[in-house]
Amino acid sequence: MIQKILSYDTPRSIALSMLLLCIFAGLALAPFLFPGVRTVDTAARICIFIVLVASYDLLLGYGGIVSFAHTMFFGVGAYSVALTSLHLGRGFDALILGAAIGAVLATCLAAAIGLFSLRVRAIFFAMITLAVASALAVLVSQFSDLTGGEDGLTFKLPRELGPAFKFGQTLFDGTVFGVKLNGKLLTYYLVFGTSLVLFLITLRLVNAPFGRVLQAIRENEFRAEAIGYRVVHYKIAATCLSAAIASCAGALYAIWLRYVGPSTTLSLELMIDILLILVIGGMGTIYGAVIGATLFLLTENYLQAAMGRLTSGIGDIPVVSALLSPDRWLLWMGILFIVSVYCFPKGIVGHFRKDP
Amino acid sequence: MSIPLLSTTDLTVRFGGHIAVDNVTTQFHPGELTAIVGPNGAGKTTFFNLISGQIRASSGQVVLNGQDISRLPVSARTKAGLGRAFQLTNLFPDLTVLENIRLVVQAKANKGFNLWSTAVALTDITAKAQTILAQVRLEHVAKQPVSELPHGDQRKLEVAILIALEPKVFMFDEPTAGMSLDEADTILDLIADLKARTECTVLLVEHKMDVIRTLADRIVVLHNGQLVADGPPAEVMASAIVQEAYLGLSPEDQMHG
């Protein structure tokens, strides 16, 4: 059963299975294990980034297609949900319609870019995606009437997903293990559940005959064509599928934040984060997205605080405390990432599972 | 004579001012093994590329089974029945030996755009791939990545891919290049076996004259992109034009190497 859900692509390493199980349990029970606004927020972001990075892995790790437009598709989904919610009024129908429009729009955009540029050399496709993504980011910040410009848009979720909505008053007295049963909790489980389903869909896609063809294209495009696969069609299909999944992740992100803005969904920094997460986790494994995203977001959110605690603990040693000052957390994050790429050139997942 | 399975008409390709293949018109028949010979740079591999589609012809036609395939992409030509083994080993290096063959069987079954069932669940495809591996005696390395295989086994896999494609026309481009004598014999046995077992058309680019003498039904000689001789092996080898085409390339080597 579990085999089937995981598309027969199990972690194939005890250490890796344990690690993935811990992450799964941690995310599934996050509101109960780590109650708190910040912790649950981090958990939700981890869920969404797992999907976003996994969909990018489908493209880069399996298909060997380098694209810099992944945040664009993420942003399309996020903005669609925000705009439908704003214009149709708060409601689940607006959310679902927004997510659907976003996915369709992202697919069309991906198909258009793919048709124009996937026939030619890989570097050209990468440049085109970069150009289109930058152009769209500029458009979004310029069309402030529609998109709210640099400020972005805040919108309202259905009442059931707001903190004011309470449930289970009679049955559980409104709390379970001291956690308030409110709309925010429901939103978390909406994000978690949808992310889980999207992740499993991605896992299935790469283990389907289609995914195997993508691997073949990554390995040897010329030969893939010669054994009868029309490479350009597969590449376009991969781009579209990955765009649609990224767009769904974007919709979830907008729902979670109740806000969209260029810096949270469209920025090039976000694109670099995605690449970094994938490289650290391990390309072409899908599970790499889980490990990478968890590690990355935990570091990003908690390294500074951890360093603060460390420096106050060791007191005032001249050079050391200056180096370990919480203000230097970005330096240490950079060093951590360089070390991890150096020690695990195939990513963490690639390191644990050696067999092909 | 039977109807040709594959034919080229005035097939020509120019690279700038250089004419690499020049007005080649010829036919290939079912059950016939044709050796294509000629000195280095005569346009043999380019001729192959024009047929299998890696290069588009500047002018002229390639007709397979009555269908003009000159404008089709490589994959469509493969689907139409052309199968090609490459001169330089051309495989999926990081995938396993079995997966290399499985991908071919999957392509043949038109299952590539299956997005939903897992590849593992398509057991008939895997089983067929295993049968083909057994035919070339590679089943003991099925789970190894191709990049770890010795050169000879990689060449065998190259032939296995061709067998898995079940093409109407087999195209071998120097299948024994860089192989030890033992390994070369295995490959040549496979080719001879193919020819005997199936009524297929085989095109073979080869330098070794002894190989040609034993295997070929017919020899086509290319020189400077032009077809200069065509006929049964004994006749062609004796002709003056072939001797001339090979002049300067040490005829002794060519004839006995």
Side-chain angles (χ1 to χ4, degrees):
Chain A
M1 185 61 191
I2 287 177
Q3 285 265 337
K4 201 166 184 184
I5 290 174
L6 296 180
S7 307
Y8 306 100
D9 184 13
T10 47
R12 295 202 302 275
S13 145
I14 292 170
L16 199 60
S17 306
M18 298 310 287
L19 199 58
L20 287 166
L21 262 175
C22 287
I23 293 173
F24 176 75
L27 290 175
L29 302 172
F32 301 98
L33 290 176
F34 320 103
V37 177
R38 177 119 185 260
T39 45
V40 176
D41 181 59
T42 308
R45 280 171 201 259
I46 291 174
C47 292
I48 293 162
F49 268 75
I50 287 173
V51 175
L52 181 62
V53 175
S55 68
Y56 193 63
D57 197 19
L58 169 72
L59 204 61
L60 180 65
Y62 283 82
I65 304 164
V66 182
S67 158
F68 292 107
H70 214 61
T71 49
M72 176 172 81
F73 303 127
F74 187 61
V76 164
Y79 271 93
S80 297
V81 165
L83 287 171
T84 48
S85 292
L86 271 178
H87 294 292
L88 298 176
R90 60 204 293 194
F92 282 103
D93 49 346
L95 295 186
I96 292 167
L97 186 69
I101 291 176
V104 171
L105 214 62
T107 309
C108 294
L109 251 169
I113 299 175
L115 280 171
F116 277 112
S117 50
L118 274 174
R119 286 173 181 280
V120 285
R121 278 192 297 176
I123 184 75
F124 188 66
F125 178 74
M127 300 309 282
I128 291 279
T129 55
L130 189 59
V132 174
S134 318
L136 197 91
V138 172
L139 276 179
V140 165
S141 62
Q142 293 299 311
F143 274 100
S144 40
D145 291 345
L146 182 69
T147 63
E150 290 295 334
D151 296 335
L153 300 166
T154 21
F155 60 96
K156 284 185 172 145
L157 289 176
R159 222 168 291 283
E160 291 78 1
L161 297 180
F165 176 74
K166 308 260 194 288
F167 63 97
Q169 302 288 14
T170 46
L171 215 62
F172 301 110
D173 205 19
T175 59
V176 170
F177 300 118
V179 178
K180 281 190 196 119
L181 299 177
N182 62 17
K184 199 71 191 165
L185 188 73
L186 281 184
T187 318
Y188 178 78
Y189 280 105
L190 174 73
V191 168
F192 173 79
T194 319
S195 299
L196 184 64
V197 171
L198 286 170
F199 175 80
L200 291 175
I201 289 177
T202 315
L203 191 62
R204 174 54 65 94
L205 285 176
V206 301
N207 285 294
F210 176 75
R212 300 293 185 91
V213 179
L214 288 186
Q215 274 185 318
I217 290 173
R218 176 194 72 199
E219 290 290 306
N220 188 344
E221 191 175 326
F222 177 84
R223 190 62 199 240
E225 179 85 30
I227 60 174
Y229 295 114
R230 188 81 185 102
V231 168
V232 66
H233 294 171
Y234 285 90
K235 281 186 166 183
I236 291 173
T239 317
C240 290
L241 283 168
S242 132
I245 297 169
S247 157
C248 292
L252 286 179
Y253 203 42
I255 290 170
W256 179 251
L257 297 177
R258 280 168 292 159
Y259 162 81
V260 282
S263 57
T264 51
T265 56
L266 290 168
S267 70
L268 198 64
E269 285 82 43
L270 192 65
M271 189 66 235
I272 293 167
D273 287 352
I274 296 174
L275 270 167
L276 209 61
I277 292 173
L278 191 54
V279 170
I280 291 169
M283 277 200 276
T285 59
I286 295 294
Y287 289 112
V290 180
I291 310 261
T294 309
L295 213 64
F296 184 89
L297 286 163
L298 285 181
T299 320
E300 197 180 51
N301 283 298
Y302 293 105
L303 184 63
Q304 195 173 10
M307 284 172 65
R309 227 170 274 166
L310 188 69
T311 35
S312 62
I314 59 170
D316 203 21
I317 308 165
V319 183
V320 179
S321 46
L323 269 175
L324 289 178
S325 148
D327 296 342
R328 309 261 186 285
W329 73 280
L330 266 173
L331 168 80
W332 288 103
M333 188 159 116
I335 290 175
L336 266 178
F337 291 154
I338 292 170
V339 169
S340 97
V341 171
Y342 185 79
C343 295
F344 309 117
K346 284 178 157 180
I348 294 169
V349 174
H351 181 79
F352 279 118
R353 78 198 309 193
K354 289 209 169 67
D355 56 330
Chain B
M1 197 92 187
S2 57
I3 314 148
L5 185 62
L6 175 73
S7 61
T8 64
T9 317
D10 298 328
L11 200 60
T12 303
V13 68
R14 290 179 206 89
F15 300 121
H18 173 66
I19 302 178
V21 171
D22 190 0
N23 272 304
V24 175
T25 301
T26 183
Q27 290 88 35
F28 303 98
H29 297 270
E32 183 186 63
L33 192 148
T34 309
I36 296 165
V37 301
N40 286 328
K44 303 182 297 284
T45 298
T46 312
F47 182 60
F48 259 31
N49 283 336
L50 286 173
I51 293 175
S52 57
Q54 275 80 17
I55 299 175
R56 293 278 171 96
S58 311
S59 63
Q61 279 184 328
V62 182
V63 176
L64 175 69
N65 223 0
Q67 183 197 3
D68 182 0
I69 58 167
S70 343
R71 297 275 160 259
L72 294 183
V74 175
S75 53
R77 297 188 196 201
T78 304
K79 289 238 180 288
L82 284 181
R84 167 137 184 222
F86 291 87
Q87 182 175 12
L88 301 171
T89 304
N90 208 325
L91 304 158
F92 306 110
D94 280 351
L95 306 183
T96 63
V97 172
L98 180 65
E99 179 65 9
N100 267 261
I101 297 293
R102 208 199 58 78
L103 277 163
V104 183
V105 181
Q106 178 185 295
K108 190 79 189 155
N110 273 323
K111 286 277 163 48
F113 265 111
N114 185 333
L115 298 172
W116 200 241
S117 59
T118 60
V120 181
L122 302 176
T123 43
D124 47 335
I125 289 183
T126 312
K128 193 168 173 204
Q130 269 156 344
T131 320
I132 291 162
L133 274 189
Q135 272 182 47
V136 294
R137 289 175 209 95
L138 282 178
E139 65 270 54
H140 59 289
V141 287
K143 295 254 186 281
Q144 275 184 36
V146 166
S147 53
E148 288 173 8
L149 248 53
H151 180 74
D153 281 351
Q154 291 193 10
R155 298 299 307 180
K156 271 196 218 165
L157 185 59
E158 185 85 36
V159 176
I161 285 182
L162 209 52
I163 294 171
L165 275 174
E166 296 173 350
K168 297 191 183 84
V169 179
F170 288 77
M171 302 168 73
F172 292 98
D173 196 350
E174 295 196 35
T176 61
M179 290 183 119
S180 71
L181 281 174
D182 273 0
E183 290 167 344
D185 282 344
T186 319
I187 296 287
L188 294 173
D189 285 348
L190 277 169
I191 296 176
D193 183 48
L194 264 181
K195 195 188 133 195
R197 224 160 20 88
T198 55
E199 270 291 284
C200 58
T201 310
V202 184
L203 274 63
L204 173 71
V205 167
E206 187 54 81
H207 275 303
K208 295 169 185 144
M209 279 298 166
D210 51 337
V211 171
I212 294 169
R213 215 174 273 129
T214 47
L215 279 179
D217 303 308
R218 173 188 166 205
I219 296 184
V220 165
V221 185
L222 290 179
H223 185 51
N224 290 333
Q226 289 172 328
L227 194 153
V228 293
D230 181 354
E235 196 177 297
V236 170
M237 281 180 181
S239 77
I241 195 156
V242 174
Q243 305 283 349
E244 194 192 311
Y246 275 110
L247 269 182
L249 259 171
S250 163
E252 285 302 306
D253 278 3
Q254 291 298 337
M255 290 306 182
H256 304 292

